[in-house]
Amino acid sequence: MNLVINTLDELLAHAHELEREAVERYEDLAGQMEVHNQPELAELFHKMAAIEQQHVVKVESLAGSQPRPLAPWDYQWQTPESPESVPVGQGHYRMNPHQALTLVLACEERAEAFFAELAESTSDPAVREMAVQFAAEEKQHAELLKEWLARYPEPKADWWQDLDDPIAQE
Amino acid sequence: MNKAEPLIARYSHKDYKSAVKPIWCPGCGHFGVESSLFRALAYLELPPEQVAVVSGIGCSSRIPAYTQCYGFHGVHGRAPAVATGLKLARPELTVIVTSGDGDAFSIGGNHFIHACRRNVDMTLLVMDNEVYGMTKGQPSPTTPADWDSKIAPGGTGVNPFAPLAVALASGANFIARGFSGDPNGVARLLVEAIQHPGFSFVQVLSPCVTYRPEEKFWKKMVHSSSVEPTHDPAVAGHRLLSDDGFTTGVFYIGNRPTYTATVGTSDNDLSAIEEELAI
Ligand SMILES: Cc1ncc(C[n+]2csc(CCOP(=O)(O)OP(=O)(O)O)c2C)c(N)n1
Ligand code: SF4
C-alpha cells in the first residue's frame, strides 16, 4: 500500500492511533507478564505504556482535541499492525528484560521508519515538517532504548527451557 | 459498509475489555482476535450492554470473561445452541459466538452444521489453531493428517475437515477467513459479518504458539483473496474446494431469509401459550 498522507488531520489521526495502540499493547503485555509471574517485565511494560500515553496526550494537544478516528483498516500502516505496537505473536513467558527491550526497540524503529517514509512521500510541506519531527523523536527514543538495553544481559542459550514445561510434544 | 464516520470515538478497545487478565500464553494468536473483536465493536459503536458473547470451552472460548459485554461461557461445543435461544428471545442484541476448532468442529460439529442451516442472525467466530490448546495439544478436526506428535505418532492419518465448505453446504449466509496477525483485517471481516443478516461464519487462523509453534510461520503463508466475494454458492464452493486454506477475505455473501422467532416473548404471549397447553 502506498503511503499517501497530505493533510495534518490525517497525519495526527495516524500519530494518535499509533501511540494509542502502543499503549494498549504494552498494557496487554504487562498483564500477560503479571499472569505469568514476571513482575519485573510487567513493570517494564507498564512503564512503556505510561510513556506512550504521554505521547497520546501530546498528539491530542497538537490536534487541539482527540483526532477523528479512521476505520481500523483505513490507517496506512506499512506493517501488518500499527508500527509502534509489539506484533501479535511476539513475546514469551520466559523472556528476560533484554528480550523485552529488544521488542520495544523494534517498535520505536518501525515508528521512526513510518514517519520518515511519510515525510518522504507527502506533497504537503506542513505534513512533511511534522512527520520529520515525529521521526526525530522516535529516533531519540530508540537511542535511549539502546542505552537501556545495554544495561541488561542477553538471555542464556537455554532461556526458553522450563522444568515445568507446558509443552507435551517433543 | 454503510456507516457514517464518527466525529469522535464513542467507544474504544477499553470499553469492551474487562478487568480479567487473559491467561493465554504470551504470543497466542487469540490476543490478536480479541483486539479485532473489540475494534469491530468500537467501529460499529455498539454499546457493550447490547452485545452478548457466547462461547463453549477451550482457550479460545475464554473470551466472554475478558469482555465487558454480556458473556456466557457455556458447555463444550454447544455455544451455537445457547446463542440461538438468546437471539430468538432477545433479537435486539448483537450475538457473537466465540469458539475454537475443537469446540466448533469436533464436539460441536453437529451444532455448527445446524446453526448454519437455521440461519439465525448471529456471528460465529472460530479461532482455528488446528489443535486442542487447552487440553495440551491433541489433534483437532482441522489438524493436517500427517502432523506428528507424541499423542498421535506419525499423525492421525485422517483428512482434515473443511470448515468453510461445510458452512457453505450447510447454509451459512456469510463466510470469511482472516488471520490473527492482521487484527485490522479481521476487524473488517467481523464488521461485515455482524452487519450481514443471518448466520455469519468467520474462521480466523490463530496460532497456538505452545503446542503448534510452527504455526508462527503462518504469517508468511497467508495471502489475501484476489477476487471479489460472490453471491453464487456454486462459485463460492468451487473457490473454497480449490483453496489452499490460507486465503483470507470474504468468500461468500448470501441472501437467504433469516430465521426469526414466530412466537412472541412478551408475558402476554407466554400466558397465551400456557393457556393453550393447559390440560
Ligand atoms: C464435554 C467435554 N469434553 C471434553 C472436554 C475437554 N476439552 C476442553 S477444551 C477442549 C478442546 C478445545 O480445543 P479448541 O476448541 O480448538 O480450543 P483452543 O483451546 O485450541 O483454543 C476439550 C476437548 C470438556 N471440557 N468438556
Ligand atoms: S495453549 Fe495454545 S491456544 Fe491455549 S493459550 Fe496457549 S498458545 Fe493459546
Side-chain angles (χ1 to χ4, degrees):
Chain A
M1 190 208 292
N2 287 339
L3 190 50
V4 190
I5 293 182
N6 289 325
T7 66
L8 281 178
D9 281 354
E10 270 182 291
L11 169 61
L12 288 164
H14 278 75
H16 189 259
E17 187 64 7
L18 176 147
E19 304 292 356
R20 202 196 58 73
E21 286 187 17
V23 174
E24 193 179 290
R25 192 57 54 82
Y26 284 135
E27 285 297 358
D28 281 353
L29 282 161
Q32 292 170 34
M33 294 305 137
E34 272 160 30
V35 166
H36 288 83
N37 199 23
Q38 285 261 44
E40 193 183 0
L41 291 190
E43 197 190 320
L44 187 153
F45 286 125
H46 278 308
K47 206 176 272 175
M48 289 312 305
I51 293 171
E52 299 303 345
Q53 182 56 35
Q54 288 171 8
H55 300 159
V56 171
V57 173
K58 186 179 165 195
V59 176
E60 283 173 3
S61 77
L62 280 173
S65 66
Q66 192 181 311
R68 176 180 158 144
L70 307 178
W73 47 89
D74 283 342
Y75 291 98
Q76 298 180 42
W77 312 130
Q78 304 295 296
T79 39
E81 293 196 71
S82 62
E84 207 168 15
S85 298
V86 175
V88 167
Q90 295 194 4
H92 191 282
Y93 73 103
R94 289 185 62 79
M95 66 186 170
N96 74 358
H98 190 279
Q99 288 163 297
L101 284 168
T102 305
L103 291 178
V104 175
L105 173 60
C107 291
E108 300 295 336
E109 288 175 341
R110 277 192 304 272
E112 183 202 341
F114 174 76
F115 287 121
E117 191 179 338
L118 203 161
E120 278 281 306
S121 62
T122 186
S123 59
D124 184 272
V127 170
R128 184 172 310 115
E129 191 184 329
M130 196 177 275
V132 165
Q133 188 193 326
F134 284 158
E137 282 171 17
E138 301 295 356
K139 190 177 172 132
Q140 200 187 352
H141 302 155
E143 295 306 325
L144 282 171
L145 273 162
K146 281 182 194 157
E147 282 172 31
W148 201 2
L149 190 60
R151 280 184 244 145
Y152 289 94
E154 292 200 17
K156 295 190 187 119
D158 61 349
W159 64 269
W160 47 270
Q161 270 186 6
D162 186 349
L163 292 177
D164 185 18
D165 197 342
I167 300 179
Q169 320 298 340
E170 272 163 11
Chain B
M1 234 156 278
N2 48 3
K3 173 179 172 288
E5 293 295 336
L7 283 177
I8 51 155
R10 276 182 62 199
Y11 295 102
S12 75
H13 182 270
K14 60 178 183 302
D15 296 303
Y16 301 98
K17 198 172 168 58
S18 76
V20 180
K21 293 190 183 86
I23 59 163
W24 292 319
C25 311
C28 177
H30 300 349
F31 282 107
V33 183
E34 185 201 37
S35 281
S36 306
L37 177 61
F38 297 163
R39 283 176 201 179
L41 297 176
Y43 175 81
L44 291 169
E45 298 184 357
L46 289 170
E49 70 279 9
Q50 288 300 317
V51 179
V53 182
V54 181
S55 76
I57 303 291
C59 298
S60 36
S61 290
R62 300 187 69 91
I63 285 197
Y66 304 150
T67 173
Q68 289 281 33
C69 303
Y70 281 112
F72 190 93
H73 194 176
V75 186
H76 201 14
R78 273 67 182 159
V82 175
T84 299
L86 177 62
K87 183 67 187 180
L88 295 183
R90 295 285 305 275
E92 75 282 10
L93 293 180
T94 297
V95 176
I96 296 163
V97 176
T98 56
S99 185
D101 42 301
D103 188 63
F105 310 141
S106 196
I107 193 166
N110 199 31
H111 287 277
F112 169 62
I113 290 170
H114 290 284
C116 294
R117 184 173 73 88
R118 283 190 197 103
N119 200 30
V120 172
D121 187 19
M122 63 171 86
T123 298
L124 169 65
L125 161 58
V126 175
M127 287 155 251
D128 193 344
N129 52 20
E130 301 183 353
V131 77
Y132 292 179
M134 179 173 264
T135 48
K136 288 184 165 265
Q138 297 84 0
S140 85
T142 50
T143 306
D146 59 354
W147 181 60
D148 185 33
S149 66
K150 243 187 186 176
I151 222 158
T156 60
V158 183
N159 249 7
F161 190 74
L164 281 75
V166 173
L168 179 73
S170 308
N173 217 26
F174 177 96
I175 299 173
R177 183 189 291 125
F179 172 53
S180 62
D182 173 21
N184 291 330
V186 173
R188 181 176 204 161
L189 296 177
L190 289 174
V191 165
E192 291 185 44
I194 292 168
Q195 285 184 324
H196 191 66
F199 189 85
S200 298
F201 170 48
V202 182
Q203 176 200 37
V204 182
L205 303 173
S206 177
C208 171
V209 291
T210 299
Y211 297 107
R212 301 291 310 269
E214 69 279 16
E215 290 176 348
K216 285 187 189 163
F217 293 101
W218 278 356
K219 63 172 179 276
K220 296 199 187 317
M221 292 157 81
V222 289
H223 50 94
S224 53
S225 172
S226 54
V227 290
E228 288 295 303
T230 177
H231 302 283
D232 182 344
V235 174
H238 184 264
R239 275 186 202 157
L240 286 171
L241 291 171
S242 51
D243 179 59
D244 66 357
F246 287 98
T247 308
T248 58
V250 179
F251 285 87
Y252 175 67
I253 303 178
N255 52 17
R256 289 178 59 216
T258 299
Y259 182 91
T260 47
T262 49
V263 179
T265 52
S266 72
D267 286 348
N268 287 345
D269 293 326
L270 288 178
S271 52
I273 294 170
E274 269 172 31
E275 266 171 39
E276 239 178 73
L277 295 176
I279 307 170

